[in-house]
Amino acid sequence: MRTLAIGDIHGCSKALDHLLEIVNPKPQDTLITLGDYVNKGRDSKGVIDRLISLHKQGNLIPLKGNHEIIMLQARNNPLKQRLWLEKGGKATLKSYSEGHLIKIPESHWDFLGKVCINSYETANHLFVHANLDPHLPLARQPEYKLFWEKFQHPAAHSSGKTMICGHTSQKSGKPVNLGHAICIDTWAYGKGWLSCLDVETGKLWQVNQGGNFRISHIQDYYRPSSLRQDIKDGSPIFGGSLFSRAAAITFKGK
């Protein structure tokens, strides 16, 4: 039985399909998606269709991201619609045949608004979209922390559990591993990768929209405190030797 976390998908249905094919989740596995399924990429509709299917099979725990929140707010609020369109909603609408909110099926609204949850906790890990207040239990986390705050040297959580999150896109295409906190948003909708992490073994699969994939280990990306530099949004600074295994196992798509 594996616990598998997938980073921000952002409408990249091809990458998601490729990733599921190589990871091959089993019925006994727990699959946790970290939010931001919609906007920016070309096929938000296809992504949600696939996630709904996985959820019906019983092994998907989908978290809500800030882009789902923006989309839900836009449904009945013209002022929020403008913000949503600016944040990638145009691409989402285009993925539905006639590009209009009324063409989004009720099952998709239900999935985003009723099925997706704010956070998830296991014996050793805390799963959130964006970040955490290190002093508060998961049930008392403020929404700003869970959905909006960037990943910039977060403190270790008081529970001693490792935080697994997305939200802060790493333009390098490489996750950030601080030991007590790991960010696996690796810019799938851009020129990066969609990442899946086996949180117990540390195995990491990454796939892009072209079907290329690479396999590595999350320890390849570990940054001990003495070596850390500023982690800006999408611009982590890493030493070259830390990625020797990841670079050595990169495969081209068909």
Side-chain angles (χ1 to χ4, degrees):
M1 175 178 168
R2 300 176 296 178
T3 302
L4 305 166
I6 295 180
D8 301 36
I9 304 169
H10 276 304
C12 296
S13 61
K14 290 182 180 179
L16 178 60
D17 286 345
H18 293 316
L19 188 64
L20 292 172
E21 183 178 356
I22 65 168
V23 175
N24 191 23
K26 305 296 184 183
Q28 64 270 26
D29 294 335
T30 299
L31 186 63
I32 304 164
T33 47
L34 299 178
D36 279 7
Y37 314 122
V38 300
N39 299 348
K40 301 184 178 181
R42 294 184 176 182
D43 191 19
S44 293
K45 177 184 181 298
V47 168
I48 299 175
D49 280 335
R50 287 152 181 75
L51 295 179
I52 289 174
S53 177
L54 286 168
H55 187 259
K56 288 179 178 178
Q57 294 172 24
N59 60 344
L60 176 68
I61 298 173
L63 302 192
K64 188 182 300 179
N66 62 300
H67 281 268
E68 283 72 58
I69 291 174
I70 295 171
M71 181 173 171
L72 288 164
Q73 291 173 340
R75 186 179 189 186
N76 298 307
N77 187 326
L79 294 178
K80 296 291 186 179
Q81 285 182 25
R82 183 174 179 180
L83 173 63
W84 177 52
L85 293 173
E86 292 174 352
K87 295 293 185 180
K90 290 180 181 179
T92 299
L93 279 183
K94 193 173 182 180
S95 71
Y96 293 88
S97 59
E98 296 184 29
H100 195 283
L101 279 170
I102 63 173
K103 295 297 180 180
I104 299 176
E106 194 66 30
S107 61
H108 285 210
W109 290 116
D110 285 345
F111 176 77
L112 298 177
K114 299 177 182 179
V115 176
C116 294
I117 60 177
N118 291 351
S119 59
Y120 185 70
E121 184 171 2
T122 63
N124 299 309
H125 297 88
L126 301 169
F127 299 87
V128 296
H129 175 64
N131 217 321
L132 284 173
D133 184 316
H135 307 296
L136 295 176
L138 209 52
R140 293 177 55 201
Q141 292 290 326
E143 287 193 2
Y144 175 77
K145 290 280 186 178
L146 288 175
F147 302 118
W148 299 96
E149 185 170 88
K150 294 297 184 180
F151 186 95
Q152 294 180 328
H153 297 310
H157 193 262
S158 57
S159 66
K161 298 181 180 183
T162 301
M163 178 180 76
I164 310 294
C165 70
H167 183 61
T168 305
S169 59
Q170 304 302 314
K171 301 302 191 294
S172 64
K174 301 167 184 176
V176 180
N177 177 10
L178 304 182
H180 62 273
I182 297 171
C183 176
I184 58 169
D185 178 359
T186 44
W187 203 35
Y189 71 90
K191 297 180 181 179
W193 304 78
L194 180 62
S195 294
C196 177
L197 173 66
D198 183 330
V199 300
E200 300 297 344
T201 69
K203 186 173 182 179
L204 182 78
W205 300 263
Q206 294 185 293
V207 174
N208 62 21
Q209 282 282 85
N212 301 325
F213 71 95
R214 59 189 187 185
I215 301 172
S216 58
H217 194 280
I218 196 62
Q219 283 304 109
D220 294 345
Y221 307 95
Y222 176 60
R223 293 289 297 173
S225 58
S226 60
L227 296 178
R228 287 178 202 153
Q229 300 179 42
D230 287 339
I231 300 172
K232 300 178 181 179
D233 182 15
S235 303
I237 304 172
F238 298 96
S241 62
L242 292 176
F243 302 103
S244 56
R245 280 196 286 174
I249 314 176
T250 302
F251 303 90
K252 296 290 187 181
K254 295 180 180 178

